[in-house]
Amino acid sequence: MGLSYALRWPGWTGEEKPHLPEPTGPLTRERPQWHAETREAVLQGLGTDPEKGITWAQARERLREYGPNELKIQPRETWYRILARQFANTLIIILLLAALISFAAGEVGDVLTILAIVLLNGLLGFFQEWQAENALAALAKMLAPTCKGIREGQVKVLEARLLVPGDLVLLEPGDRVPADLRLLEAVNLEADESALTGESLPVPKSVAPVPPNTPLADRSSMVWMGTHITNGRGLGVVVATGMATEFGQIAQLAETVQQEPTPLQRRLALLAKQLGVLSLITGILVLLAGLLVGKPLKDLFLTGVALAVAVVPEGLPAVVTLTLALGVRAMVRRRVLLRKLQAAEALGGVTTICTDKTGTLTKNEMTVRRIWLASGEVEVTGVGYEPSGHFLLGAQRLDPQEHPDLLALLETGLWCNHSSLYRDETGWHPRGDPTEVALLVAALKAGLSLPERKGILSEFSFNALRKRMTVVWEKAEGLVAHVKGAPEVILDRCTRILKNGKEWPLTPEDRRAIEAAYARMAKTGLRTLALAKRQLTGEIPLREETVERDLVFLGLVGLLDPPRPEVPAAIRTAQEAGIRVLMITGEAAPTALALARQIGLRAERAVTGPEIEELEDEELLGLLEGGVVFARTTPEHKLRIVHLLKRRGEVVAMTGDGVNDAPALRKADVGIAMGLRGTDVAKSASDVVLLDDNFASLIRGVEEGRRQYDNIQKFIRYLLTSNIGEVIAILLNLLLGGPLVFLPVQILWINLITDSLTAVALGMEPAEKDVMKRRPRKPSEPLLDRRGVLAVLLLGGYIGASALWLFYHTLQRGAPQALAQTLAFTGIVILEKFNVLNFRSLRMPLAALGFFTNPWLLGAWVLSLGLQACAVYVPFLQEALHTVPLGWKEWGLMLLWALPIFLIPEFIKWVGWQKTRRG
Ligand code: ATP
């Protein structure tokens, strides 16, 4: 049994195209017993070439026949359901009731207007939700799971959705199994099937057929869709896709973007509900009070409805949804993919970021720089992935072929390796784990050629817990185990050392020399790895504990992995924003410390995983205050640190990429998986995926999250002032006993049309200059703090009083009631347009912000004022909204009332701003 050429050699194209027989056996429909068939029978049944897979043409044809590899459990929202939902709320019911009563009173015009507004409101809500839906669908597409498949002899990254029965799929640790597969090759393959069978321990897999009636959980020759690989390597052929898989059969799993309402949306829904109840109660009270004093029923009813409509910020939910959806796109532009809408809010509120090192803070482009051997220390030259460079011992150039120690080390680096290189017009490119690519390039620099790749007998995979990897080969001289890993882990398992081509017992002096070399290398920031091997003689069982011992120490390699150039600035930004950045890495302490200092992290000491285990919770928390870096940690340590931080009330973001990182990612307030190097398991446990793995993108995401939260706060205040203004005007008017100041349709027009437009534009407000200079908001901070409530009440009070003044002033002039109403109605719109300028920033005056910095708002201004002019001058709208034309004098009067609502707060903000600037 051995791994095929294709498995070892991603990109290998094979010779000529084989003639593939068409599938003969039934594919999946009659649920054949693939697990009981031999490898050959399965391949024949599916018409698959064991090396080359199926052809693209066959794949296309089968896709047509079997459909995409998808679980159709949660169908996408259809447009008509979204539309229908718009009309199923209390407001609509109130309005329809109003229409009914107007109809009874013979006011056909009002009935038509109310119906038109109901329709318009529905369409507006529909349009906004549809936008949000589309943004999420686009996200889901970007998150679409992929896998490594083989078609026409070439290894390709395939969208899991497009897999068909007969496709060959490569499996490695961390992969989510994309369909039901019959295994063709398996080297120490293990799968976590807990999602399917409930079995929590990984299950070993092999190629041998099992009896036909074996229960699902024991079919070791199969791996199932939705489970994931925890160890080893394998190759399988797809036998069932989509709903035909076992997962599809029990219809359990849906890997869609989660769409639960965000905490913000929940809070808003609650607010809306409370306001709704309030409006109903006030409406009824007004009705009763009016009846008692003997007012005409129709007037009373209209006042009641107007009040009910005025209390509720009808436009708010749609504006929030649209802003969050647009926010998703803004995040993608910053290379941050949200898996849940609520992640933006959480990201904006982060107080601590726990980040790993390799690939997030560093470039993850590694090159071997130094090699320590018992017989001397060697420097390696050359840049990038190009396999050319020299080996220098002091000033002297070495021929590796004549240096048995160097050769043995480089060979082990090559044989304990799954990476590959390929070349195109732009140069050399890596494929696989960067640590392994570096070792491969070093071996190629020495002129080593790739071994005959058919003899892998067994493998113990690398993971963050083991910190080592072993591959057992069958060679002419017998079985050889090639091992690499963290130096302390490897050294613990060595009893001999290679020196001048011979194996010697490993003495305490050797040990000290190795440890000193390790410390030297790590201190300069080199990522240090040890290599070892063992000739397996006799009948040693191929298990971890029997193979990975009595090793021969070959040497150390120091790999250079430079920091990403943009990271120091990002760290500074995070620090200025009051966000603590904690490095929690699997790397060795000195290497981690060296890097931390290089990128400007406060790093006074490193605490390692074993040390963490010795610490009480309180001690560990105490450590976080002084600049500490956590090194040589395992995912369990990450979990503990997140847990402690959260207990202290912090909002924690945690990055991760490995299979074992999933629990910590789930536990964190924002779990962040790496888009490029992250495993499927880490991605599906996360809230956010960093498309370029870059810490700097994460900080840009935080900034964007803060911007969105700020803007939501702004437009909530803005919309509420309008509602408060309307309510105050109606209630005051009731006390004064005057005629109806606004009609319900006019309030609806304000709330749904003119205010919504400017609110959406307010949601597009660019980030304020100091957005990353402020401390994170407190998790307990309400959406509307005391200052906010005060602002809303004062500004709303001013709006309401102004509208009433305009109304009564006009009436007193002896003008008709319709003109007074039109003036009060238009007055509120104009006042709101000036008021919106107050909310472009809650702190900065417009003078500092710049008038033209939000072009969307300018557009919305022009549009909503234009619409209001139409409401007043276009005949059919005049009829619908009960308006009459206004003259210049009236416009001037409204402008006069509107200016102070902007000028006074602007002046107060300006004074405050000058003070903070001086301070
Ligand atoms: P981070 O946690 O910041 O990503 P890391 O990559 O160093 O850092 P791990 O992936 O947990 O963390 O690796 C821990 C150690 O295991 C490394 O420092 C290295 O010594 C060793 N190691 C890394 N990759 C391999 C590999 N492919 N084979 C064998 N050993 C490895």
Side-chain angles (χ1 to χ4, degrees):
M1 175 198 19
L3 284 189
S4 77
Y5 211 56
L7 183 53
R8 275 296 288 161
W9 273 114
W12 179 70
T13 45
E15 311 99 46
E16 88 196 37
K17 209 167 135 191
H19 172 73
L20 291 177
E22 284 311 305
T24 47
L27 284 176
T28 56
R29 285 173 183 171
E30 289 157 26
R31 304 196 74 66
Q33 311 268 317
W34 296 111
H35 54 278
E37 304 275 351
T38 62
R39 195 174 170 272
E40 290 66 33
V42 173
L43 286 169
Q44 208 202 350
L46 293 163
T48 302
D49 179 291
E51 296 273 312
K52 300 186 175 182
I54 54 172
T55 63
W56 290 94
Q58 278 176 316
R60 269 194 300 278
E61 198 180 300
R62 290 185 191 186
L63 191 63
R64 260 198 305 279
E65 188 176 352
Y66 295 98
N69 179 27
E70 286 171 331
L71 296 180
K72 298 184 190 72
I73 296 167
Q74 278 187 354
R76 226 192 116 183
E77 282 272 48
T78 49
W79 65 267
Y80 48 86
R81 280 178 52 158
I82 298 178
L83 189 63
R85 209 174 33 234
Q86 308 306 320
F87 296 97
N89 68 41
T90 17
L91 173 79
I92 300 291
I93 295 167
I94 296 178
L95 288 177
L96 290 180
L97 215 68
L100 205 70
I101 293 180
S102 305
F103 183 71
E107 303 275 357
V108 182
D110 271 6
V111 176
L112 289 180
T113 311
I114 293 177
L115 289 183
I117 285 190
V118 165
L119 198 70
L120 201 65
N121 170 50
L123 288 178
L124 217 69
F126 166 76
F127 172 71
Q128 301 193 331
E129 254 195 60
W130 182 244
Q131 281 276 321
E133 190 67 27
N134 280 339
L136 282 175
L139 256 195
K141 223 186 219 162
M142 293 182 77
L143 280 170
T146 55
C147 63
K148 273 201 215 98
I150 302 175
R151 280 195 188 154
E152 292 187 10
Q154 278 188 311
V155 177
K156 291 272 174 201
V157 174
L158 299 176
E159 244 186 81
R161 222 172 59 83
L162 303 180
L163 281 184
V164 292
D167 259 323
L168 292 181
V169 175
L170 294 161
L171 300 167
E172 53 185 66
D175 282 356
R176 210 186 69 117
V177 178
D180 284 358
L181 308 177
R182 168 69 164 89
L183 290 169
L184 303 175
E185 291 168 9
V187 177
N188 286 21
L189 194 69
E190 288 180 9
D192 175 344
E193 297 187 340
S194 52
L196 185 70
T197 62
E199 168 59 56
S200 58
L201 290 176
V203 193
K205 296 288 177 182
S206 66
V207 179
V210 293
N213 50 1
T214 310
L216 194 75
D218 299 330
R219 294 184 190 168
S220 53
S221 54
M222 302 282 298
V223 284
W224 314 105
M225 178 193 234
T227 64
H228 67 260
I229 304 299
T230 55
N231 188 55
R233 253 145 235 280
L235 176 72
V237 59
V238 175
V239 296
T241 59
M243 293 308 280
T245 61
E246 290 301 329
F247 242 136
Q249 296 289 309
I250 55 172
Q252 257 189 359
L253 176 101
E255 258 302 310
T256 53
V257 176
Q258 297 184 19
Q259 287 191 45
E260 333 146 5
T262 78
L264 181 77
Q265 285 174 319
R266 265 195 299 253
R267 266 186 282 172
L268 283 175
L270 186 71
L271 180 77
K273 220 182 257 163
Q274 287 164 342
L275 289 174
V277 172
L278 195 72
S279 76
L280 213 66
I281 295 172
T282 27
I284 292 171
L285 284 181
V286 165
L287 196 74
L288 290 178
L291 278 181
L292 280 181
V293 292
K295 284 220 171 195
L297 194 65
K298 190 187 157 214
D299 268 18
L300 273 177
F301 180 75
L302 282 180
T303 311
V305 172
L307 199 60
V309 173
V311 172
V312 184
E314 289 87 7
L316 193 53
V319 176
V320 171
T321 314
L322 183 65
T323 305
L324 288 177
L326 292 173
V328 166
R329 287 188 207 159
M331 284 283 185
V332 169
R333 280 196 295 277
R334 285 160 184 76
R335 318 304 294 146
V336 177
L337 208 66
L338 305 180
R339 293 188 70 244
K340 301 173 185 166
L341 268 186
Q342 71 210 58
E345 191 187 335
L347 205 53
V350 156
T351 59
T352 299
I353 298 176
C354 302
T355 172
D356 53 4
K357 176 194 79 96
T358 312
T360 315
L361 301 173
T362 67
K363 283 183 162 174
N364 218 8
E365 289 165 14
M366 300 192 200
T367 16
V368 175
R369 282 273 148 252
R370 298 197 77 77
I371 296 176
W372 182 92
L373 306 162
S375 47
E377 200 162 332
V378 178
E379 194 180 320
V380 187
T381 65
V383 283
Y385 299 114
E386 183 163 355
S388 61
H390 305 300
F391 296 83
L392 304 175
L393 187 69
Q396 180 200 353
R397 210 170 118 182
L398 275 188
D399 179 358
Q401 299 295 339
E402 285 169 15
H403 198 298
D405 295 359
L406 181 58
L407 205 60
L409 176 132
L410 292 173
E411 263 173 10
T412 284
L414 186 64
W415 292 62
C416 183
N417 200 320
H418 285 293
S419 70
S420 61
L421 275 181
Y422 68 94
R423 190 182 191 174
D424 62 16
E425 7 2 293
T426 61
W428 291 87
H429 303 281
R431 220 182 247 151
D433 177 354
T435 308
E436 297 187 351
V437 173
L439 293 171
L440 172 66
V441 172
L444 295 178
K445 282 178 184 170
L448 287 186
S449 47
L450 300 153
E452 169 52 54
R453 303 264 165 186
K454 291 246 175 191
I456 294 186
L457 259 197
S458 187
E459 178 176 328
F460 310 110
S461 305
F462 169 79
N463 66 42
L465 224 65
R466 282 171 34 84
K467 298 199 179 353
R468 61 184 185 275
M469 163 176 169
T470 300
V471 182
V472 181
W473 286 81
E474 190 167 22
K475 299 183 178 177
E477 69 263 34
L479 300 191
V480 184
H482 292 281
V483 189
K484 70 179 189 314
E488 64 275 24
V489 176
I490 300 297
L491 198 54
D492 269 356
R493 289 166 173 74
C494 290
T495 50
R496 284 162 294 157
I497 185 167
L498 189 74
K499 207 182 294 177
N500 299 321
K502 271 212 219 123
E503 292 176 13
W504 308 82
L506 186 80
T507 63
E509 290 93 86
D510 291 330
R511 217 171 257 280
R512 275 196 291 278
I514 293 168
E515 278 162 1
Y518 174 24
R520 245 187 351 261
M521 275 191 195
K523 233 183 242 160
T524 58
L526 291 180
R527 176 179 174 83
T528 312
L529 230 64
L531 294 130
K533 69 190 260 189
R534 179 180 175 195
Q535 184 87 39
L536 298 171
T537 44
E539 288 292 296
I540 294 175
L542 294 185
R543 287 202 310 271
E544 237 178 275
E545 56 286 5
T546 47
V547 171
E548 291 176 331
R549 49 182 289 198
D550 285 336
L551 306 175
V552 181
F553 192 87
L554 300 175
L556 297 169
V557 289
L559 308 166
L560 181 74
D561 180 15
R564 290 177 180 268
E566 59 280 31
V567 161
I571 292 203
R572 256 197 319 280
T573 308
Q575 284 162 346
E576 283 170 1
I579 300 168
R580 185 206 323 264
V581 181
L582 274 180
M583 188 201 282
I584 307 181
T585 172
E587 186 62 87
T591 314
L593 265 182
L595 181 92
R597 289 181 184 144
Q598 224 176 328
I599 57 176
L601 267 185
R602 214 176 121 215
E604 274 137 35
R605 58 178 293 203
V607 175
T608 62
E611 286 166 356
I612 294 177
E613 277 160 30
E614 299 294 310
L615 294 173
E616 295 293 322
D617 286 357
E618 290 316 307
E619 291 172 303
L620 186 53
L621 273 177
L623 273 182
L624 302 178
E625 298 311 322
V628 66
V629 165
F630 293 103
R632 280 294 187 245
T633 54
T634 63
E636 273 163 44
H637 301 129
K638 288 191 186 179
L639 187 63
R640 183 165 166 218
I641 293 169
V642 177
H643 175 75
L644 286 180
L645 284 168
K646 278 188 73 170
R647 213 177 62 188
R648 213 169 62 168
E650 305 256 0
V651 181
V652 188
M654 163 72 79
T655 67
D657 52 9
V659 196
N660 306 321
D661 285 334
L665 291 178
R666 270 195 214 106
K667 178 97 197 163
D669 297 285
V670 198
I672 301 164
M674 299 300 149
L676 300 176
R677 81 190 133 92
T679 54
D680 298 341
V681 181
K683 284 183 200 163
S684 55
S686 66
D687 307 292
V688 166
V689 176
L690 279 187
L691 288 174
D692 57 0
D693 294 9
N694 191 342
F695 182 81
S697 305
L698 172 56
I699 298 299
R700 282 195 289 271
V702 171
E703 178 176 354
E704 173 59 22
R706 285 188 175 192
R707 180 189 76 90
Q708 289 178 22
Y709 192 82
D710 274 4
N711 289 355
I712 288 172
Q713 279 196 322
K714 290 172 192 174
F715 66 63
I716 286 178
R717 282 166 169 73
Y718 166 66
L719 288 177
L720 284 182
T721 50
S722 178
N723 290 83
I724 297 282
E726 292 154 11
V727 171
I728 286 182
I730 296 172
L731 286 181
L732 268 183
N733 188 40
L734 221 74
L735 289 179
L736 295 172
L740 220 54
V741 52
F742 319 108
L743 295 166
V745 284
Q746 294 172 339
I747 298 178
L748 277 176
W749 171 269
I750 300 173
N751 291 3
L752 284 170
I753 314 244
T754 60
D755 274 0
S756 287
L757 276 174
T758 20
V760 170
L762 208 51
M764 314 259 233
E765 193 64 35
E768 288 177 29
K769 278 187 217 117
D770 70 341
V771 71
M772 292 301 271
K773 302 260 188 297
R774 288 184 234 142
R775 301 199 58 75
R777 67 167 192 269
K778 290 204 188 70
S780 55
E781 185 187 291
L783 208 53
L784 204 62
D785 57 6
R786 236 180 286 152
R787 233 185 101 205
V789 173
L790 191 72
V792 165
L793 285 179
L794 284 178
L795 293 168
Y798 181 84
I799 291 180
S802 308
L804 262 193
W805 187 90
L806 287 167
F807 182 64
Y808 278 103
H809 173 76
T810 316
L811 282 183
Q812 269 161 14
R813 262 179 34 216
Q817 191 181 330
L819 182 69
Q821 276 177 339
T822 307
L823 208 63
F825 164 47
T826 309
I828 284 210
V829 174
I830 307 278
L831 278 152
E832 273 289 278
K833 291 311 115 179
F834 279 84
N835 183 35
V836 74
L837 303 177
N838 292 327
F839 290 107
R840 285 198 48 202
S841 165
L842 300 183
R843 282 162 285 262
M844 264 207 238
L846 195 64
L849 212 58
F851 190 74
F852 297 103
T853 41
N854 182 357
W856 295 100
L857 191 72
L858 291 180
W861 236 64
V862 172
L863 194 63
S864 50
L865 283 178
L867 280 171
Q868 187 60 27
C870 294
V872 174
Y873 296 114
V874 174
F876 91 89
L877 281 177
Q878 283 174 344
E879 206 166 305
L881 294 165
H882 300 268
T883 55
V884 289
L886 295 173
W888 286 116
K889 258 213 335 256
E890 277 95 23
W891 285 104
L893 205 58
M894 287 185 293
L895 202 64
L896 218 59
W897 275 97
L899 276 175
I901 200 175
F902 163 63
L903 290 179
I904 296 170
E906 173 76 4
F907 179 70
I908 296 172
K909 279 203 272 181
W910 189 78
V911 171
W913 182 245
Q914 294 305 321
K915 244 194 250 159
T916 46
R917 280 221 305 195
R918 255 180 265 124

